[in-house]
Amino acid sequence: MKKPENSSTDYMGRKFFRFFKIFVAFLLLWFTAHSMYLIADGISDEGKNADLAVILGNKVNEDGTLSTRLEKPLESGIQLYKSHRVRKILVSGGLGKEGFYEGDKMKEFLVSKGIPDSDIIIDNKGDNTRKTAENTLELRSKYHFHSLIAVSQYFHVTRTKKLFRDKGFQEVS
């Protein structure tokens, strides 16, 4: 004897599976679009000039040398400075578990590459991006800057610019 089919249960199962596939497709589309935007925004250079380059800290090695993740943004800051796109450089970072203040180590690197000491501002209390934005804005009146270029890893630039804008800083590239 044939087992009776429950057509409403079968219909609901197909409907749920269809909804699930659409939901997963939407998530994948959103993730792809979001990732593409972050990458494009992070690697694009609008070619704008600014008063200040803000370079966010990263790992200092146990021997006091800079990690590659920290050197690369500093090299970008040097290029911005030497091409006269920024007047000053702010280096921001906190005290790492290795025992070094990232800002101090970043300044040492910049000075060794020919950036004048007087054009480098240190923020050794920038333990995270939010604190860096807050600390930079507190320094605004002392150093009289109105525009900045955020310098960090490509996947971090969009968030950094958003935090600066959220804190009231409008001219951010």
Side-chain angles (χ1 to χ4, degrees), residues 34-68:
H34 184 73
S35 297
M36 289 173 59
Y37 175 78
L38 287 177
I39 292 168
D41 187 44
I43 63 173
S44 69
D45 181 2
E46 300 167 4
K48 293 182 178 179
N49 293 342
D51 298 326
L52 184 72
V54 178
I55 305 174
L56 281 79
N58 209 308
K59 184 180 182 341
V60 175
N61 298 319
E62 290 181 13
D63 64 357
T65 60
L66 305 182
S67 66
T68 303

Side-chain angles (χ1 to χ4, degrees), residues 147-164:
S147 57
L148 64 87
I149 297 174
V151 183
S152 187
Q153 287 78 22
Y154 73 90
F155 54 85
H156 194 226
V157 170
T158 301
R159 178 176 181 271
T160 303
K161 292 191 303 189
K162 181 185 181 326
L163 284 170
F164 273 101

Side-chain angles (χ1 to χ4, degrees), residues 66-112:
L66 305 182
S67 66
T68 303
R69 291 186 318 251
L70 186 51
E71 272 190 32
K72 295 300 179 189
L74 288 167
E75 290 169 358
S76 295
I78 292 168
Q79 289 175 337
L80 289 169
Y81 183 86
K82 289 188 174 181
S83 64
H84 306 288
R85 291 188 49 205
V86 297
R87 293 185 296 119
K88 292 194 179 290
I89 297 174
L90 183 142
V91 290
S92 182
L95 178 62
K97 64 182 178 183
E98 298 80 15
F100 299 100
Y101 280 103
E102 293 168 2
D104 291 341
K105 288 300 197 177
M106 294 163 72
K107 181 176 182 174
E108 286 176 21
F109 180 84
L110 292 173
V111 169
S112 76

